[in-house]
Each structure stands twice: as structure tokens, then as C-alpha cells.
Amino acid sequence: MSRKKIIAGNWKMNKTPAEAVALAEMLKPLVNNPEVDVVFGVPAIDIIPVLNAVEGTDIAVAAQNMYYEEKGAYTGEISPLMLADAGVKYVILGHSERREYFKETNEDINKKVLCAIAHGITPIMCCGESLEQREQGITMDFIRQQVKVGLQGVTADQAKEIVIAYEPIWAIGTGKTATSEQAEEVCAGIRACIAEIYDEAAAEAIRIQYGGSVNGANAAELFAMPDIDGGLVGGASLKEDFGKIVFSA
């Protein structure tokens, strides 16, 4: 079964609404590749203007986070109802920065994953190990735990639709990229973990991205790997280079 590649840009905490629209307009012609699902993951305040800017194209918009309640006394949070009503198709959940700086746990991320699915928003669920964990030889144990807890209560049919992003923490924004072999080894391990939790059909269907210093120069080699179905792209998603990445898939 051939899985459609998915390339998502994580703009992180960059771009005012006006700058975000200008970037979306600049990238639109460069990422026009119907063979790939293209997603802009933008800050909350940029969601509506960017959705308007990409209207009529195949580009989808992702939120970078979401709370797991529909409404209530959660000052500063954004609910799935708000995202769904705005037209957001994806939400990035459990990014290592959220885990590290905002102390999100696997259990928090699981609640968010279930909530996103319930509201028709596709989770891009992130996982990844630190340099210390890699050196201790516990990469797969750690990632399997993130995946298993993150998907608790998710059915096999729902799992087929979600996206998992493998991002080794030591390669995010550092300029260090996992070699394509290292990235493939972990993505294949994640797919094997999905087969264990569910079955081969779910493992074959689920899309697994690699993230961590992906750029126009290394993308083609990474995306040629059998278990890597695209990328979650940080810094390079804010530049023309993102077009190269989309076409190297």
C-alpha cells in the first residue's frame, strides 16, 4: 500500500498575522504539489488569516496545540470546537518543546489526541528521545512508551488516520540531523509498535514523519526511506527551501 507523503511546516512562535499572510502567499506557488499533503502549522493568532490566504488551494492549516476540553474556565487555551469551526484540519500535539517547557505528559497528550479525533481534527502526535537517552540505548523503549500512552483508547480505524512525527530532540534546531538510516530505524520501530497495539493494516496505513533539521538538501534521502512518510519541518518551513522539501517527497 502506498501512503501519501505529508509535509508539515511547524512555524513555532514566529510571524505576526501580517507576516504570516506574506509567508503563506510566498510559499503557495512553491508547494503546489498534488502528490503530497502540505500543512502549515501556524501560531494561534495566525490561523484565521492564513486559512483565508490559502483558501482555494490544497494547503491545510494546523494548530500547534489544543486543549482537551470543549469550553470552560481555561484562560488562554484554545478548544477543538474553535479550531474545527475555523477550518483547521490538523493539530500538532506533544511536541518536545511542549513537553519540556510546559511539562506536558504522555497522559495530557493522550487526552488531547482523543479530543482532536472526536472533533474531526487529525493529530500530528510527536515523539522523540534526548541525546542522553540515545546514548543510554533506550531510544525505542522511551518512544514506544510515548506512542503507547499517547494512543490509549484510540481505535485501529482512528489510528490509521493519525500522523506520528518522530523528532529526535537532539536534532531539533541544532543543525544535527539523524542519518536517514537512524531515522528509518526508529520510524520502522514505531510502525512495528503500531502493529503490536493494533494490527498490520493499521501499521501499514499510519503515516510517520521525521522531523529534526530537515532541509532541501537532506529531504529527498530521508523521504526515500520505506517507513518515512514525510517531514515535520521547523526552520526551513519559514523559507523558500520549504518548496524544495515538498517536491523532494
Side-chain angles (χ1 to χ4, degrees), residues 74-78:
Y74 306 104
T75 301
E77 291 293 327
I78 288 184

Side-chain angles (χ1 to χ4, degrees), residues 4-5 33-37 249:
K4 190 175 185 184
K5 294 274 197 276
N33 182 352
E35 288 168 37
V36 176
D37 286 337

Side-chain angles (χ1 to χ4, degrees), residues 60-159:
V61 172
Q64 295 178 3
N65 185 32
M66 181 199 82
Y67 198 56
Y68 49 73
E69 296 287 354
E70 290 188 346
K71 53 180 176 291
Y74 306 104
T75 301
E77 291 293 327
I78 288 184
S79 87
L81 293 179
M82 297 170 189
L83 296 180
D85 185 68
V88 167
K89 293 279 188 284
Y90 296 88
V91 59
I92 300 168
L93 296 175
H95 192 279
S96 62
E97 290 156 5
R98 300 283 327 161
R99 294 175 190 263
E100 184 184 349
Y101 307 141
F102 305 102
K103 304 299 175 246
E104 290 189 8
T105 64
N106 290 335
E107 289 74 15
D108 294 331
I109 292 149
N110 175 237
K111 287 184 194 169
K112 293 182 179 191
V113 165
L114 291 170
C115 186
I117 291 169
H119 291 87
I121 302 166
T122 301
I124 297 176
M125 187 180 85
C126 302
C127 59
E129 83 285 13
S130 66
L131 189 56
E132 192 182 8
Q133 287 160 337
R134 177 162 278 271
E135 285 169 350
Q136 288 166 349
I138 58 170
T139 293
M140 269 334 295
D141 299 331
F142 183 75
I143 288 171
R144 283 164 61 85
Q145 186 180 16
Q146 288 183 322
V147 170
K148 286 189 166 185
V149 178
L151 295 180
Q152 206 87 49
V154 174
T155 68
D157 281 342
Q158 289 168 338

Side-chain angles (χ1 to χ4, degrees), residues 198-215:
Y198 303 107
D199 52 28
E200 283 300 331
E204 272 301 302
I206 199 164
R207 295 191 289 180
I208 302 172
Q209 298 175 313
Y210 169 75
S213 302
V214 177
N215 57 49

